[in-house]
Amino acid sequence: MEKRTGEIVTDLLKEWNIDHIYGMPGDSINELIDDLRKEEKNIEFIQIRHEEVGALAASSYAKLTGNIGVCLSIAGPGAVHLLNGLYDAKLDGVPVLALVGQVTNEQVGTNAFQEINLARMFDDVAVFNEQVTSSEQLPDLLNMAIRTAYARKGPAVLVVPDNLFAEQHKLEKPLTAPTYKEPLIQPDQQSISKAAELINQSEKPIILAGRGVKGASKELLQFAEKIKSPIVLSLLGKGLIPDYHELNLGQHGQIGTKPAYEAMMESDLLILVGTTFPYRDFLPDNAKAVQIEMDPGKIGDFYPINEGLVGDCKRILPQLQLLVEGHNERSYLQKYQEKMKAWHTHILKTKKEQPEPLQAPQVMYALENVVKKDAIVSVDVGNVTVWTVRYFPFVNQQFLISGRLATMGAGLPGAIASQVAYPDKQVVAICGDGGFTMVMHDFVTAVKYNLPIKVIILNNSKIGMIKYEQQEMGHINYNTDLGEMDFAAFAEACGGEGYRITAGDDINTKMQQAFLSDRPAIIDVEIDNIAPLPGKITYNQAVNYSQFMIKNFFQNKKVEFPDINQVIQRL
């Protein structure tokens, strides 16, 4: 029996357990849209207002669930808009499928309206990139695209002239099957034994763990406890273990803690577990190293390791634990546990202060009272990342962010995807005003689909991180002011709820009101513009900031001093 090719496509999507797609209808994808309309009970079509949001949401969905995220667009401008979200998926290593419309196949190559060279455009971002030339090959290419996205952990792009979806044909002899099996990769016993020997010989081992530990937190903690190692987390590792766990020294790098930095520099053995931490200056100069990583291509790619173990850390860590000796020497660990207690005290003291105007740490303190322990927290990129990671303690919440690409505007799409994936969980987006305004139009998407997300906006009318970076480089600020906006009024104009907080007196009350609501809401918090100081301030950073202050004084007769007590503590 012959079927529309679009119907065959939707049948295959269901076999791959794909139950929703992010996209926008348009003239070069409308044939498939009509087939999706007929399957709306099985495949929800979530209409976004900008294709970038759809691709970022698909990427976020894949990060949260491990299942493929799907987005679609028309040819030309819609396809171009997908790129940012697809690069986010590529750099963070998650499977995404982009179904991209194209002009009819008889028009391809004739410089038709909205035609661009999509195959060339997607060539760098995609792990699978094909343009379909006949309706008969479309089902097999769809299976290959999805399987490749899972296998190579990245975006697969299938470009389809829209007329092909309308063609009828009989699926008689498929070349492929709608299935994928994750391989079991296991390091050889000799490599495991060598890694265990390095650990046994070390006196100051330290673990740097990342997103690859997801699902293996228990195994990581048991292993660390046996070898008496502190754990430092990459940004993407936030939330893998509770922030107040006795082995946790917090995040590393510019957004990290001072104890994490100092412990890392004193270590004699670095154990990298499920992380591609890219900042070499924050790693020891001459320590030996062991790396546990699923992707063999990343072994030794970020640090000169002595032994690499390829495979799932959930399986490898227990095997290592059996071979390593239990360390009795705890002085290194205890030294940094005490430093971490002092760090937590310092952070708590800062959060409890009552400055006017409000500052970001106080917003994080207020959020602790309303964010549930199993919530999903989608965080945008910028100063807001530092404020959240440093001042909001995770207990059992899931952390979502654009990692390697670090694109502004990822907070809201991540929240939309989170609520779609987990409709019964509390979902919170924490954004800066700069990042939010890049995608704010899609707050109406949350309203349309009644997604009760709560969006916190740290509103300082500035591109805060760039302002700080310019100062750190010794430059005078230029074009970092954004202008003022009332995001609470915007939320209400969209049909959601808006709460504007301008003083510390009403922050807790309005937070409670917003979080008790079952409707999408924006909490617009006006904050003072202060620099999020690094956990460890280097000499060069201090010198460059001094250069900025001198230039600013001579040219603008204005000096902005950071909190000198915090600077002294972090030098």
Side-chain angles (χ1 to χ4, degrees):
M1 176 181 174
E2 289 192 342
K3 286 184 176 181
R4 274 174 58 95
T5 305
E7 184 180 353
I8 295 172
V9 166
T10 56
D11 287 343
L12 283 175
L13 293 175
K14 288 186 292 183
E15 287 194 59
W16 281 101
N17 297 315
I18 292 167
D19 60 9
H20 72 285
I21 294 175
Y22 303 95
M24 184 182 291
D27 56 2
S28 54
I29 199 74
N30 273 334
E31 291 290 356
L32 177 60
I33 294 294
D34 196 53
D35 292 295
L36 289 170
R37 175 187 61 81
K38 298 168 187 174
E39 287 289 347
E40 61 182 337
K41 291 183 179 179
N42 299 308
I43 304 174
E44 184 180 14
F45 184 83
I46 299 174
Q47 178 213 65
I48 42 76
R49 301 305 174 97
H50 194 288
E51 291 89 352
E52 177 187 13
V53 171
L56 285 169
S59 178
S60 297
Y61 176 81
K63 292 175 190 180
L64 278 172
T65 66
N67 299 323
I68 194 166
V70 184
C71 55
L72 62 76
S73 78
I74 66 167
V80 172
H81 289 163
L82 292 176
L83 281 174
N84 199 41
L86 297 184
Y87 270 106
D88 180 66
K90 176 183 181 178
L91 296 188
D92 281 352
V94 292
V96 165
L97 170 68
L99 295 169
V100 183
Q102 180 57 291
V103 299
T104 59
N105 52 353
E106 63 267 18
Q107 290 180 308
V108 171
T110 66
N111 197 27
F113 177 68
Q114 289 192 329
E115 183 193 5
I116 62 175
N117 191 330
L118 295 176
R120 181 179 297 172
M121 186 183 77
F122 287 116
D123 187 56
D124 180 62
V125 70
V127 297
F128 179 95
N129 177 27
E130 293 292 340
Q131 179 161 313
V132 183
T133 57
S134 71
S135 58
E136 287 78 12
Q137 70 176 168
L138 177 52
D140 288 319
L141 285 176
L142 179 62
N143 283 335
M144 292 169 65
I146 296 174
R147 186 181 305 109
T148 305
Y150 275 119
R152 296 182 59 187
K153 295 178 173 53
V157 177
L158 205 56
V159 177
V160 189
D162 195 35
N163 60 293
L164 298 185
F165 291 113
E167 292 185 1
Q168 302 260 347
H169 81 273
K170 188 185 296 184
L171 189 62
E172 292 182 320
K173 294 182 179 180
L175 297 173
T176 60
T179 184
Y180 170 72
K181 296 297 181 183
E182 188 75 36
L184 176 61
I185 303 172
Q186 178 68 25
D188 61 273
Q189 192 59 45
Q190 184 179 8
S191 295
I192 296 176
S193 298
K194 286 182 178 179
E197 184 179 347
L198 286 167
I199 295 168
N200 289 335
Q201 292 171 352
S202 70
E203 296 180 357
K204 299 176 180 180
I206 193 166
I207 295 169
L208 177 58
R211 185 166 56 93
V213 177
K214 188 175 182 179
S217 297
K218 178 182 175 182
E219 289 79 5
L220 176 70
L221 289 171
Q222 289 175 343
F223 173 73
E225 178 60 41
K226 184 170 183 181
I227 67 171
K228 301 299 183 289
S229 170
I231 299 171
V232 175
L233 298 173
S234 71
L235 171 63
L236 298 184
K238 175 77 171 178
L240 289 173
I241 58 177
D243 278 19
Y244 288 128
H245 192 281
E246 62 178 0
L247 296 177
N248 191 351
L249 298 187
Q251 264 57 49
H252 198 37
Q254 280 283 91
I255 65 166
T257 70
K258 184 178 178 182
Y261 178 88
E262 293 180 343
M264 185 67 67
M265 293 307 168
E266 188 181 336
S267 170
D268 63 1
L269 178 68
L270 174 60
I271 306 172
L272 297 158
V273 185
T275 182
T276 55
F277 184 83
Y279 304 111
R280 182 64 177 85
D281 288 345
F282 286 88
L283 299 178
D285 289 334
N286 299 306
K288 293 181 179 179
V290 171
Q291 185 178 3
I292 303 173
E293 169 61 48
M294 277 290 292
D295 184 351
K298 294 177 181 176
I299 292 288
D301 213 22
F302 304 95
Y303 194 83
I305 64 164
N306 298 88
E307 191 60 61
L309 305 177
V310 180
D312 187 349
C313 61
K314 189 175 180 66
R315 294 176 176 272
I316 293 174
L317 286 171
Q319 295 176 50
L320 267 180
Q321 188 177 332
L322 290 173
L323 295 178
V324 297
E325 301 166 355
H327 280 216
N328 294 319
E329 176 55 49
R330 295 180 58 92
S331 58
Y332 170 69
L333 173 62
Q334 289 175 340
K335 173 182 176 180
Y336 287 102
Q337 285 178 325
E338 291 302 313
K339 285 178 175 283
M340 200 60 198
K341 288 178 184 177
W343 177 267
H344 284 312
T345 301
H346 163 64
I347 293 294
L348 185 59
K349 180 182 176 182
T350 303
K351 290 194 291 187
K352 285 185 174 182
E353 292 172 355
Q354 296 179 323
E356 290 294 343
L358 267 170
Q359 295 178 359
Q362 287 70 49
V363 181
M364 297 301 127
Y365 195 42
L367 279 172
E368 288 183 50
N369 298 319
V370 292
V371 175
K372 294 181 179 179
K373 293 181 179 179
D374 64 345
I376 302 171
V377 182
S378 177
V379 182
D380 219 315
V381 171
N383 278 353
V384 64
T385 311
V386 186
W387 296 128
T388 304
V389 169
R390 185 170 294 157
Y391 289 96
F392 185 85
F394 274 51
V395 181
N396 192 37
Q397 294 92 348
Q398 291 190 67
F399 178 72
L400 184 62
I401 198 168
S402 172
R404 299 281 292 195
L405 186 62
T407 178
M408 293 172 66
L412 177 63
I416 290 171
S418 300
Q419 200 71 83
V420 170
Y422 300 104
D424 297 328
K425 281 188 178 289
Q426 184 191 67
V427 174
V428 181
I430 307 179
C431 308
D433 51 337
F436 183 73
T437 49
M438 289 186 171
V439 294
M440 60 190 288
H441 40 73
D442 266 281
F443 182 71
V444 296
T445 301
V447 173
K448 176 179 179 178
Y449 293 97
N450 197 28
L451 304 174
I453 63 174
K454 303 295 178 278
V455 182
I456 316 300
I457 300 177
L458 303 182
N459 187 353
N460 60 7
S461 302
K462 302 247 184 332
I463 312 175
M465 176 162 279
I466 306 306
K467 179 179 186 289
Y468 169 67
E469 286 178 353
Q470 289 178 355
Q471 294 175 4
E472 186 186 4
M473 294 171 71
H475 298 167
I476 293 173
N477 291 132
Y478 182 66
N479 272 342
T480 55
D481 290 342
L482 292 174
E484 296 182 3
M485 179 166 179
D486 186 338
F487 293 102
F490 167 77
E492 292 175 358
C494 292
E497 294 184 1
Y499 301 84
R500 186 163 173 82
I501 299 170
T502 59
D505 293 342
D506 56 0
I507 187 170
N508 289 313
T509 301
K510 288 190 176 180
M511 283 282 190
Q512 291 284 354
Q513 290 174 343
F515 276 80
L516 286 172
S517 170
D518 60 357
R519 296 175 60 204
I522 289 176
I523 302 99
D524 178 11
V525 191
E526 188 177 303
I527 63 167
D528 193 12
N529 184 53
I530 59 172
L533 299 174
K536 176 71 175 180
I537 296 174
T538 66
Y539 175 77
N540 284 337
Q541 286 171 326
V543 168
N544 287 337
Y545 194 85
S546 298
Q547 290 174 350
F548 156 76
M549 289 193 295
I550 292 168
K551 287 181 182 179
N552 209 24
F553 176 75
F554 282 119
Q555 294 192 24
N556 301 324
K557 300 296 187 286
K558 181 181 178 183
V559 176
E560 298 179 22
F561 288 101
D563 186 325
I564 194 65
N565 291 324
Q566 290 195 32
V567 172
I568 292 171
Q569 284 183 311
R570 298 182 189 181
L571 279 171

